[in-house]
Amino acid sequence: MATSAKTLEVGAIPYDEIDTIIGNYKGDSSAIIPILQDIQEIIGYVPKDGIAYMAEKLEVSAAKIYGIATFYAQFRLQPVGKHIIMLCEGTACHVNGAKLIAGAITDELAIRGGETTPDGLFTFEKVACIGCCSLSPVMVISGETYAKLTPDATRKIIKEYQEKEAAAQN
Amino acid sequence: MEEHGKTVIKVGLSTCGIAAGGTKTYEALKAAIKENKLDVVLQKTGCIGMCYQEPIVDVITPDGNLYSYGAVDEETGRRILAEHVKGGTPVQDSLISEERESIVGGQVRISLRNCGIIDPESLEDYRASGGYQALEKALKEMTPEQVIEEVLRSGLRGRGGAGFPTGLKWRFTRMNEGDQKYIICNADEGDPGAFMDRSIIEGDPHAVVEGMMLAGYAIGASMGHIYCRAEYPLAIVRLEKAMQDARNAGLLGKNILGSGFDFELKVKKGAGAFVCGEETALIASLEGERGMPRLKPPFPAEQGLWRKPTSINNVETFANVPWIISNGADKYAAYGTEKSKGTKVFALAGKMNNGGLIEVPMGVTLRDIIFGVGGGVRDNKKFKGVQLGGPSGGCIPESLLDTSVEYESLTRTGAIMGSGGMIVMDETTCMVDMARYFLDFVQNESCGKCVHCRLGTKRMLEILTRITEGKAAPEELDLLEELAYNVKEGALCGLGQTAPNPVLTTLKYFRDEYEAHIHDRCCPAKSCPELLTYTIDMELCNGCRRCAKHCPAEAITGEKKEPHVVDQEKCIKCGNCIDACKFDAIMAE
């Protein structure tokens, strides 16, 4: 795929920064995973056009990079919301009712795992063990950990975020 | 480093401590110390293992006495400073010193020796507790063969789960020809329910670094890679700091301690694939490929990373090595049983009173762990089973609780030692749902390379889902079992070969629950939503409306102070009403 920067939306992808990242790894094609990780770190996700650009620079096929990006759970190919809700689905959380927490989140935001609210505020992700098993069930919103959840407590936490966002807009 | 004559305050700041609010406590203490101009040393430390009590704050008075405080919020932190540090009277209502002694005192902490005690970000602290002495001893007094011999004699076996003798793995790697050899630390702790590797790295990163250097010296490698889960950001930060500090001190890099031995380390972040815990898949991922397993042989000891001889060991394994070299193989081998020597770390979670991390000698019984250190089942519920070894392990019933913890005896039950995750389940946990949960996990994580795992686990999951929904035909139970054996025999790698274990063990020990779902369309644990009906007891309900307010589906109606009813059409079976009702008037049958 010979996509070049010119055909893309202006300003959508920071090509300069991608160049810097690739430069950091000296164009090493075995560094595809860390390059993707760094790109996700700055953009929040891995854009398809970014993959094409990487392919050109690293002289490997876009299919190979796409294959890697879709193999690992960490990589997102869609933009994410402002707040990422990561619900732990580890064994301890499962035994202690993570399913009910997932239900409460879906109830409140009308999105399922992997989806983003239309207003772009929340992305709901179900993740494997976060490693806080003795505080289960656990979710992390924007880096803040919420432990020993109940469905009601979960609703309250989400409402607080919504209220904060609404207040910020006014 | 502890300074004499001063009070030392340590705050548990591993992921568990931070999740429980430890950073806020730390900041509050820091501010209050500054404000009151107190002459005390404030330190960060790792996890002592009593995660259920986090944030934990330890106060060590100038006379050397240790006072442990549990669940310390900002306010309690300020009280500790005012009443204890300044006033000399411990804050009794938050003191957990006795509890700590009864839980930690009964353990043998070798790989966790420094966790929750030293400051993980301080090289001086690590060295003051004997750190890097093993490396010095090995480089100056021992040949690589002698290091291998010592580890072999200690009886140390791989703590990642499979239990292969560590010394033997090193010997094979040493014997194979190669201009370059590699040491890899598997810190891709993907088993949902195990967190000991994270805790060791966060609480004592230098122990892992030193263990890897000893391994590198033993096999003749000058390069090591640590493959760590990206979900463990704090562990990665602390590892990188430890490596940099070691480098600055001449403990890592060229000509270490003047011995002529060169060793360098790199951290590589995993990208979230459970299968990368399998060693050949981990290697593929390190090489920048999709993390798909390769057929063995050749084993990594012959052709590993970049086709060079490679030894892959687990975090906990490495953390044991410096202790073994410093204290001698005999001392390590004195713990444990004939075939399983030393100690093992277990992560206790689930419906257990004292969730956290413990380290005990091999050979103690499951009962000792769960009802001793673990404090038994939460809320006085009845014990049903314990899940060992994560998605590759199995569920063990109460009748087998006197099984001793060692590789062989656990394998005989159908479970495995695994990484040491131990999830306790009570009467409200449905065993069919547990099996379905694990199958769902491995099916998601299956890399798709071999048919047995890719399709077999999918078909098994479909059957299990039908059973939990009460839609399965009686003959499907036999089909499930047949499929389970087929996947076990036919899958390419460890993930697939062990994926059926949760199903096979629950079928073996809890078959009656499967049959109840299929024949009676009921879930004995009252956990599978599709098989439950929520009703309100007219006698017990006093019409307080609490349940109606908590029902997200508006399925509960009734006048105030009159008994309420559940509209079965609207009910989404979320269970909120049961939690909300203070009169036990709602039943799910």
Side-chain angles (χ1 to χ4, degrees):
Chain A
M1 204 158 64
T3 317
S4 72
K6 286 169 224 150
T7 63
L8 298 164
E9 270 179 61
V10 180
I13 295 162
Y15 290 101
D16 295 354
E17 293 186 58
I18 295 180
D19 279 339
T20 314
I21 292 169
I22 293 174
N24 290 344
Y25 294 95
K26 300 183 184 77
D28 178 3
S29 64
S30 77
I32 291 173
I33 297 170
I35 292 173
L36 288 170
Q37 282 169 332
D38 290 358
I39 289 178
Q40 181 157 299
E41 182 96 23
I42 55 162
I43 312 182
Y45 73 110
V46 178
K48 274 192 185 159
D49 293 336
I51 290 179
Y53 187 70
M54 253 178 91
E56 235 176 61
K57 291 274 160 182
L58 294 173
E59 293 174 8
V60 294
S61 75
K64 178 172 175 160
I65 303 178
Y66 186 71
I68 291 171
T70 50
F71 182 84
Y72 294 99
Q74 188 190 10
F75 300 118
R76 307 184 198 97
L77 300 180
Q78 302 295 330
V80 282
K82 186 173 173 193
H83 300 289
I84 301 175
I85 304 174
M86 294 199 292
L87 176 70
C88 179
E89 286 206 317
T91 317
C93 288
H94 177 77
V95 170
N96 284 322
K99 232 195 252 172
L100 298 178
I101 310 302
I105 297 170
T106 297
D107 252 21
E108 250 352 275
L109 297 173
I111 46 170
R112 292 176 187 282
E115 296 176 353
T116 301
T117 51
D119 59 8
L121 281 182
F122 297 95
T123 294
F124 174 22
E125 279 187 354
K126 296 179 180 181
V127 298
C129 196
I130 305 180
C132 297
C133 304
S134 41
L135 305 167
S136 58
V138 177
M139 68 174 172
V140 179
I141 304 182
S142 297
E144 184 90 15
T145 311
Y146 299 90
K148 295 183 181 169
L149 293 167
T150 60
D152 268 356
T154 310
R155 286 198 183 89
K156 232 170 107 185
I157 293 163
I158 291 174
K159 281 198 181 109
E160 277 168 22
Y161 274 90
Q162 286 172 321
E163 280 160 20
K164 245 187 268 170
E165 287 298 333
Q169 282 189 355
N170 290 330
Chain B
M1 224 161 128
E2 283 170 32
E3 288 180 48
H4 291 288
K6 279 190 187 178
T7 298
V8 180
I9 300 175
K10 297 180 180 182
V11 185
L13 286 178
S14 276
T15 298
C16 50
I18 293 171
T23 312
K24 285 180 197 149
T25 306
Y26 182 85
E27 291 302 326
L29 285 169
K30 199 170 154 187
I33 288 169
K34 203 174 163 197
E35 194 182 312
N36 295 299
K37 299 196 176 65
L38 294 174
D39 191 21
V40 300
V41 180
L42 181 67
Q43 284 184 347
K44 295 175 185 178
T45 190
C47 172
I48 191 73
M50 296 163 69
C51 306
Y52 63 101
Q53 282 286 13
E54 292 286 357
I56 293 174
V57 172
D58 287 344
V59 175
I60 302 154
T61 50
D63 54 16
N65 284 325
L66 168 73
Y67 298 84
S68 244
Y69 290 101
V72 182
D73 56 13
E74 294 155 272
E75 189 45 43
T76 316
R78 284 189 280 266
R79 273 185 64 204
I80 292 169
L81 283 182
E83 294 172 29
H84 188 178
V85 178
K86 261 174 103 176
T89 317
V91 181
Q92 288 298 337
D93 46 332
S94 296
L95 212 55
I96 55 160
S97 298
E98 272 179 41
E99 191 177 326
R100 175 188 172 129
E101 182 47 34
S102 77
I103 288 180
V104 179
Q107 302 179 31
V108 178
R109 293 166 75 92
I110 293 178
S111 54
L112 296 178
R113 59 194 175 279
N114 291 323
C115 288
I117 302 194
I118 66 165
D119 177 352
E121 296 179 8
S122 159
L123 172 64
E124 293 76 40
D125 248 25
Y126 180 67
R127 295 193 91 165
S129 65
Y132 290 110
Q133 282 174 15
L135 179 72
E136 198 167 344
K137 181 178 170 184
L139 293 183
K140 292 190 174 157
E141 299 166 22
M142 298 168 85
T143 63
E145 257 309 323
Q146 283 172 320
V147 174
I148 292 176
E149 189 55 35
E150 197 71 10
V151 173
L152 205 53
R153 265 194 331 115
S154 75
L156 177 65
R157 293 168 65 173
R159 295 295 189 243
F164 191 81
T166 306
L168 214 51
K169 202 181 230 182
W170 290 3
R171 176 163 289 167
F172 289 149
T173 318
R174 177 165 186 81
M175 281 176 354
N176 286 311
E177 299 272 329
D179 50 348
Q180 172 69 52
K181 293 178 185 178
Y182 295 104
I183 278 287
I184 296 176
C185 173
N186 185 347
D188 193 44
E189 190 171 47
D191 165 1
F195 48 94
M196 57 281 292
D197 293 348
R198 190 208 74 214
S199 215
I200 291 173
I201 297 176
E202 287 179 356
D204 195 12
H206 284 285
V208 181
V209 171
E210 190 181 0
M212 288 186 73
M213 293 170 74
L214 287 163
Y217 177 66
I219 69 161
S222 59
M223 184 68 215
H225 292 275
I226 304 171
Y227 188 89
C228 186
R229 278 184 84 186
E231 289 92 332
Y232 289 171
L234 184 64
I236 293 170
V237 167
R238 289 197 175 154
L239 263 179
E240 283 181 337
K241 171 145 193 349
M243 282 156 45
Q244 194 51 48
D245 290 349
R247 227 170 262 140
N248 294 343
L251 291 162
L252 194 61
K254 293 262 177 236
N255 191 19
I256 295 165
L257 298 169
S259 63
F261 171 59
D262 302 338
F263 194 73
E264 209 21 272
L265 271 178
K266 262 191 194 160
V267 177
K268 195 109 174 192
K269 280 189 276 182
F274 176 67
V275 69
C276 288
E278 202 279 339
E279 53 185 11
T280 58
L282 189 155
I283 288 173
S285 182
L286 268 181
E287 291 173 353
E289 303 287 330
R290 289 160 66 99
M292 286 182 161
R294 295 165 183 174
L295 203 60
K296 291 192 278 194
F299 290 92
E302 305 155 61
Q303 290 185 24
L305 185 62
W306 308 117
R307 309 236 148 218
K308 305 288 182 193
T310 304
S311 177
I312 304 182
N313 304 94
N314 157 273
V315 171
E316 192 187 330
T317 312
F318 282 126
N320 275 304
V321 173
W323 192 95
I324 292 170
I325 299 299
S326 287
N327 294 278
D330 294 335
K331 205 167 167 194
Y332 190 80
Y335 295 110
T337 63
E338 195 198 334
K339 287 187 173 163
S340 302
K341 303 281 188 204
T343 56
K344 174 81 190 90
V345 181
F346 290 97
L348 312 182
K351 310 262 180 165
M352 180 131 41
N353 270 319
N354 306 341
L357 217 56
I358 59 154
E359 183 169 359
V360 289
M362 295 275 192
V364 299
T365 66
L366 289 168
R367 192 185 299 279
D368 285 340
I369 295 178
I370 295 165
F371 289 92
V373 191
V377 184
R378 208 190 286 165
D379 302 330
N380 290 319
K381 292 247 168 64
K382 198 175 169 313
F383 175 88
K384 186 191 268 185
V386 55
Q387 213 286 339
L388 295 175
S392 307
C395 294
I396 294 182
E398 191 175 9
S399 59
L400 289 174
L401 273 187
D402 291 313
T403 305
S404 70
V405 172
E406 48 186 329
Y407 292 98
E408 281 73 20
S409 52
L410 286 180
T411 305
R412 270 196 298 277
T413 66
I416 57 164
M417 175 81 79
S419 51
M422 216 179 253
I423 313 271
V424 164
M425 290 161 290
D426 68 14
E427 56 199 320
T428 64
T429 316
C430 170
M431 298 316 249
V432 186
D433 178 61
M434 272 324 278
R436 197 199 62 79
Y437 165 79
F438 283 116
L439 248 292
D440 186 36
F441 181 86
V442 287
Q443 199 271 316
N444 259 320
E445 294 292 344
S446 173
C447 79
K449 187 166 182 172
C450 71
V451 178
H452 281 84
C453 183
R454 184 179 69 239
L455 297 180
T457 57
K458 178 92 178 155
R459 296 287 96 86
M460 285 172 73
L461 175 63
E462 285 166 359
I463 296 176
L464 285 163
T465 305
R466 278 201 295 277
I467 297 176
T468 56
E469 290 171 348
K471 291 174 188 161
E475 61 273 16
E476 288 191 85
L477 207 52
D478 293 331
L479 183 62
L480 178 67
E481 204 161 3
E482 193 190 323
L483 261 173
Y485 283 112
N486 279 333
V487 173
K488 206 175 163 73
E489 282 163 26
L492 172 72
C493 82
L495 184 147
Q497 289 157 7
T498 57
N501 284 351
V503 175
L504 288 169
T505 49
T506 46
L507 271 173
K508 186 169 169 191
Y509 301 119
F510 302 95
R511 201 176 186 98
D512 52 330
E513 287 198 31
Y514 281 87
E515 285 167 349
H517 282 79
I518 294 172
H519 300 300
D520 310 331
R521 309 272 180 234
C522 95
C523 171
K526 295 176 188 166
S527 147
C528 293
E530 278 79 2
L531 300 177
L532 294 180
T533 311
Y534 285 77
T535 50
I536 298 177
D537 188 319
M538 294 291 164
E539 305 270 309
L540 292 172
C541 177
N542 65 2
C544 74
R545 297 210 47 80
R546 236 182 110 78
C547 58
K549 277 184 207 147
H550 281 77
C551 176
E554 295 175 359
I556 301 179
T557 49
E559 292 300 314
K560 205 168 182 187
K561 295 191 178 170
E562 295 290 328
H564 285 36
V565 284
V566 181
D567 182 340
Q568 299 301 337
E569 295 279 297
K570 284 187 182 169
C571 176
I572 56 164
K573 300 169 181 182
C574 68
N576 273 4
C577 51
I578 293 199
D579 292 333
C581 181
K582 291 185 171 166
F583 306 96
D584 292 330
I586 305 176
M587 291 155 303
E589 304 278 352

